[in-house]
Amino acid sequence: MSIQNSTTGEVLRSYTIDELKQQANLMRGYDLVALCAATSGHAGGTLSIMDIAAALYLRVANHDPENPNWADRDRIIWSTGHKAPSLYLGLAFAGFCSKKDVALLRKLYSPYQGHPHWLKLPGVEVSTGSLGQGLSIAVGIALAAKLDNKNHRVFCIMGDGEQQEGQIWEAAMEAGHFKLDNLVGIVDRNRLQIDGWVKDVMNVEPLDEKYRSFGWEALTIDGHDMKQVVEALEKAKAGCGKPTVIIADTVKGKGVSFMENIAGWHGKAPNLEELNKSLRELGLEGQLPVDELFAHAKQYQAEVERKLDAKMPKFHRNYWWNAADTMKVQMKPTRLGFGQSLAANGDDPRVVCFGLDISGSITISEFYANKPERKPRWISMGIAEQSATSAAAGLAKEGKLPVFGTYATFAAARNLDQIRTSICYGNFNVLIAGAHGGVSVGPDGATHQALEDCFAMCGLPNMNVVVPCDMVETRKATDYLLLKHVGPKYIRFAREATPIVTDEKTPFVFGKANVIRLRREAANFIDAFETKLESDYRDECEDLTIIACGPMVPEAMRAAWILKSDFGYETRVLNLHTLKPLDKEAIVRAARDTSVVLTAEEHQIGALAWPVASAITESHELYGIPIITGAIGVKDRFGDSGAPWELIKEFEVSAEHIAAKAVELIGVKKSRAGEPLAEVHLITK
Ligand SMILES: Cc1ncc(C[n+]2csc(CCOP(=O)(O)OP(=O)(O)O)c2C)c(N)n1
């Protein structure tokens, strides 16, 4: 049985092995079109799992597309959330949603998020994207079925690199202990992960013996032989008194010669030329409505842009980055500064860098790039953030300078207790890089957009936290934290290219804010501003202060330009790159001098806003003085898929939003003082 009417029990469609092969091939074609239309995503792993996805959704699993929440349906959990397009296509080909709509993959507001979200698309069972959690969820669902005497099955799709997560083995132990014969694990053993071959990054074999020793039945199959796939799934589904794992040997990038077995195709989408070549190789040329799919995606995107534009505050001019002939900026990703510093300072024999399977993208691999003599101090730990965190504490205890980093959400949230107890409580000298912080990570979506990490890091005793504003400041901050600062330290930076607003001469003193003042409009944005250490700055009676950190500093500077140019307001921008320890004196002086303080952070509101507010309210100097405050940041919601700059607009963390809020706050100040308001009416929301 498979796709059925849950009311009558009638089988709606059943596929032969040959038909399944054909469907899987078509699904590969749709997958590549969707990735191409999205211009991002994961080609390699979606292609390796597609035969299994077709067999599960079209033949083996019992479900009803008309009744996605049917209580007796089999559950399919995608622990590898990055293979979301294969999940979406499984649903689409089974009739849960339209095939055409999968082309809306990774677009803003789309149900087809970069990583699956069960609250956005019926048929998606759970929200995943942080590797290693799905099997535990599947254990919970299987236990619930046992409690309710239900007979449905729970399938959980995992990657082989994902087996490095310790949580997988906690779940495996639980499933074995409880003899969950209604649970089927599937490992897409394509032998590759992001940093290379699984056996080199962190060997997980022998997987079958490991699962058996945890009380599982283990089957090994060719994951591209449809007959073997179906037989194994049906055998596992029948149950044998214990959980079953199917270890499926697959090829990453299966079906496209130039993607097969190439690690670089893990997180990459084909361009149009590559798409056409892929479709030819799959024998699908002319078989898919490619133009219609692209047109659908384009039309949807146009509507997204219209909605976003309607939401943006409006001013006399278009002040957006590089929109005009003046105030030009160079854009570079902040993360590059991290890699530059590791390359420059890595000769210190105490420095040891950990790889957590995202090394190139976060630039930590620059530590050993072209420097084979450093290779012994490069330790690949695989996808195992929690153990690596405590191992870093161990290295620090022995006098090393350990550095590790990954997406900020996996570097500072998944392993929070390890950071707290192993590192901070022991006050160990470990540098943690929270890369790809904020919504501007883009189309990967909510699971990959760290918006809470600075709360956690700033809340830990002994921890020091720096959020540099651009690539240059990231390099300086890393130089300082790596070799000069002793103790636990967290540096948070972004993925997207952001404006370069500092240079070699710009001061960077850990724990001390900089004041940035707009002096004139200039050909280059950076030349329009003067930056000083706050302690060297004298009050210029500005209308307000904007306190920002990270890539919100350039936005605050652009807001200062809008405020001056459209309203004649003077702004003191404080670059508070060090969130902990906080430069309270700079905050209090700014509050006293300008009496309007607006914070701007690419984070849930509060990592910056609350310490600033508390510095103001706790200051004896300000007792009894009215200070008007406001906060720009993410307003207690999860992220979304979308292009980085679209998300900056959607989450209302652009310069335009800062400027609009600033005008509102200055309006309050002026009306209290009985002064006339500026042309506030110019801003329309
Ligand atoms: C907890 C966590 N750490 C890191 C990542 C980033 N990441 C996404 S996919 C991936 C590699 C997964 O390898 P594997 O499980 O073998 O999947 P496949 O190669 O089949 O795509 C990593 C490290 C993540 N999503 N979650």
Side-chain angles (χ1 to χ4, degrees):
M1 276 208 281
S2 167
I3 305 172
Q4 54 184 276
N5 180 322
S6 52
T7 316
T8 62
E10 181 199 354
V11 173
L12 298 175
R13 180 77 167 96
S14 103
Y15 289 85
T16 65
I17 298 291
D18 279 342
E19 284 169 339
L20 284 177
K21 280 188 202 167
Q22 221 179 15
Q23 295 297 298
N25 198 43
L26 272 174
M27 286 161 72
R28 286 193 168 91
Y30 272 91
D31 174 34
L32 294 168
V33 174
L35 293 176
C36 181
T39 68
S40 71
H42 299 84
T46 50
L47 292 175
S48 66
I49 197 66
M50 210 60 99
D51 295 305
I52 291 166
L56 259 180
Y57 280 88
L58 302 181
R59 174 148 163 177
V60 178
N62 291 349
H63 48 195
D64 177 0
E66 297 300 323
N67 185 8
N69 296 323
W70 173 35
D72 292 332
R73 74 194 182 280
D74 291 333
R75 273 61 162 177
I76 305 171
I77 310 303
W78 288 73
S79 191
T80 45
H82 62 285
K83 301 186 193 195
S86 310
L87 151 60
Y88 301 148
L89 287 162
L91 289 175
F93 274 65
F96 285 75
C97 56
S98 116
K99 293 174 193 165
K100 192 172 146 185
D101 280 354
V102 182
L104 310 182
L105 181 72
R106 297 181 149 243
K107 300 206 180 297
L108 190 58
Y109 315 127
S110 163
Y112 303 88
Q113 292 283 297
H115 291 79
H117 189 23
W118 83 298
L119 297 174
K120 294 207 176 201
L121 187 67
V124 173
E125 292 288 351
V126 294
S127 307
T128 50
S130 178
L131 292 169
Q133 301 186 16
L135 191 59
S136 300
I137 301 177
V139 163
I141 295 172
L143 284 170
K146 293 278 178 198
L147 288 171
D148 293 343
N149 289 320
K150 293 276 191 186
N151 207 24
H152 57 259
R153 295 294 187 254
V154 188
F155 297 92
C156 177
I157 298 171
M158 300 173 277
D160 52 352
E162 190 188 9
Q163 304 298 305
Q164 293 154 357
E165 285 287 2
Q167 187 179 349
I168 292 274
W169 300 101
E170 295 178 24
M173 188 160 44
E174 291 151 8
H177 178 81
F178 294 116
K179 299 191 172 42
L180 295 178
D181 58 355
N182 53 351
L183 175 64
V184 180
I186 300 163
V187 181
D188 181 6
R189 183 160 66 179
N190 57 32
R191 297 173 298 125
L192 274 173
Q193 53 189 117
I194 297 179
D195 281 358
W197 297 104
V198 175
K199 69 177 171 42
D200 300 330
V201 174
M202 177 57 66
N203 190 22
V204 297
E205 297 296 343
L207 275 181
D208 52 352
E209 284 179 30
K210 283 186 176 141
Y211 273 98
R212 278 192 196 110
S213 72
F214 277 78
W216 290 56
E217 177 67 28
L219 309 172
T220 300
I221 59 161
D222 174 345
H224 299 307
D225 180 326
M226 193 56 84
K227 191 162 170 292
Q228 284 190 38
V229 170
V230 169
E231 279 173 6
L233 285 169
E234 280 173 350
K235 182 169 178 209
K237 195 176 166 177
C240 59
K242 50 184 169 177
T244 301
V245 65
I246 298 171
I247 299 165
D249 284 317
T250 57
V251 173
K252 205 158 173 173
K254 175 69 180 175
V256 180
S257 61
F258 57 94
M259 294 183 188
E260 285 191 359
N261 291 317
I262 306 289
W265 276 99
H266 170 86
K268 202 172 140 184
N271 60 29
L272 201 53
E273 194 188 326
E274 289 161 339
L275 172 69
N276 289 332
K277 196 159 173 240
S278 310
L279 294 180
R280 268 200 302 281
E281 287 193 12
L282 291 166
L284 290 174
E285 211 175 8
Q287 310 270 313
L288 300 182
V290 177
D291 292 343
E292 195 190 325
L293 294 173
F294 277 121
H296 186 45
K298 204 171 156 193
Q299 194 184 5
Y300 178 90
Q301 181 59 27
E303 181 58 17
V304 164
E305 284 166 24
R306 197 196 55 71
K307 277 191 197 153
L308 275 181
D309 188 56
K311 283 179 72 165
M312 287 295 283
K314 305 281 188 301
F315 302 97
H316 273 120
R317 286 202 262 160
N318 180 0
Y319 292 94
W320 194 257
W321 295 114
N322 289 329
D325 290 338
T326 58
M327 300 288 264
K328 293 282 188 198
V329 286
Q330 207 194 351
M331 301 259 194
K332 290 223 167 125
T334 45
R335 61 197 156 115
L336 298 187
F338 177 65
Q340 287 166 359
S341 174
L342 293 178
N345 298 306
D347 279 342
D348 187 314
R350 295 169 303 160
V351 177
V352 176
C353 289
F354 276 176
L356 297 180
D357 196 32
I358 181 88
S359 307
S361 167
I362 72 157
T363 77
I364 197 169
S365 56
E366 288 301 303
F367 167 69
Y368 68 85
N370 305 317
K371 296 184 176 68
E373 70 283 5
R374 293 186 188 171
K375 237 1 214 308
R377 290 185 285 120
W378 167 258
I379 304 180
S380 170
M381 299 294 273
I383 316 167
E385 296 83 1
Q386 296 163 85
S387 182
T389 302
S390 298
L395 279 158
K397 165 120 189 13
E398 300 303 317
K400 305 294 180 198
L401 295 180
V403 184
F404 72 84
T406 170
Y407 284 85
T409 186
F410 312 135
R414 186 183 187 88
N415 50 350
L416 182 54
D417 186 41
Q418 284 80 2
I419 296 178
R420 179 179 184 268
T421 308
S422 300
I423 295 180
C424 288
Y425 191 41
N427 199 20
F428 286 122
N429 195 15
V430 176
L431 174 56
I432 305 172
H436 301 358
V439 284
S440 57
V441 177
D444 274 344
T447 52
H448 285 55
Q449 294 162 356
L451 298 175
E452 305 82 15
D453 52 312
C454 293
F455 284 148
M457 295 300 100
C458 290
L460 290 170
N462 293 338
M463 182 56 94
N464 299 274
V465 179
V466 178
V467 187
C469 72
D470 67 3
M471 181 189 78
V472 180
E473 196 168 88
T474 304
R475 178 172 52 68
K476 291 179 189 173
T478 310
D479 288 351
Y480 173 81
L481 291 173
L482 182 68
L483 295 182
K484 301 209 175 74
H485 190 273
V486 179
K489 46 222 167 178
Y490 179 68
I491 181 166
R492 187 213 211 210
F493 46 86
R495 184 179 199 287
E496 181 62 6
T498 52
I500 302 285
V501 292
T502 69
D503 60 21
E504 293 311 318
K505 297 188 296 301
T506 312
F508 174 81
V509 178
F510 172 76
K512 295 287 167 205
N514 283 345
V515 169
I516 306 172
R517 291 279 288 123
L518 176 72
R519 295 304 182 200
R520 72 199 80 84
E521 243 181 62
N524 293 314
F525 190 82
I526 191 170
D527 298 331
F529 295 85
E530 184 188 17
T531 303
K532 280 187 178 172
L533 257 185
E534 192 280 336
S535 48
D536 296 337
Y537 181 73
R538 292 292 155 264
D539 180 22
E540 295 184 8
C541 300
E542 303 93 327
D543 294 290
L544 91 158
T545 303
I546 303 175
I547 305 183
C549 61
M552 292 305 284
V553 171
E555 294 299 322
M557 293 165 74
R558 196 160 64 82
W561 176 32
I562 298 173
L563 290 168
K564 176 72 181 167
S565 181
D566 259 39
F567 304 96
Y569 291 149
E570 294 288 344
T571 306
R572 179 183 307 185
V573 174
L574 270 193
N575 173 6
L576 203 72
H577 46 67
T578 307
L579 281 187
K580 195 176 175 196
L582 198 68
D583 188 347
K584 289 187 185 170
E585 289 176 2
I587 296 167
V588 169
R589 269 194 291 269
R592 187 198 57 206
D593 294 347
T594 66
S595 70
V596 177
V597 175
L598 176 58
T599 53
E601 56 196 311
E602 198 188 328
H603 192 275
Q604 304 288 0
I605 287 176
L608 175 67
W610 298 343
V612 165
S614 117
I616 292 170
T617 51
E618 284 174 8
S619 159
H620 291 250
E621 218 183 311
L622 297 178
Y623 281 171
I625 301 177
I627 307 292
I628 299 157
T629 61
I632 292 288
V634 177
K635 300 180 183 80
D636 197 23
R637 62 182 272 212
F638 280 106
D640 209 331
S641 284
W645 292 100
E646 284 174 4
L647 294 167
I648 294 292
K649 294 177 181 174
E650 168 63 20
F651 285 82
E652 304 183 354
V653 288
S654 73
E656 284 74 6
H657 294 97
I658 300 173
K661 187 77 185 167
V663 170
E664 183 192 324
L665 300 182
I666 294 170
V668 176
K669 171 172 154 177
K670 286 192 178 293
S671 65
R672 277 194 192 158
E675 290 175 28
L677 294 181
E679 300 168 60
V680 181
H681 62 273
L682 283 174
I683 298 176
T684 52
K685 272 230 168 189

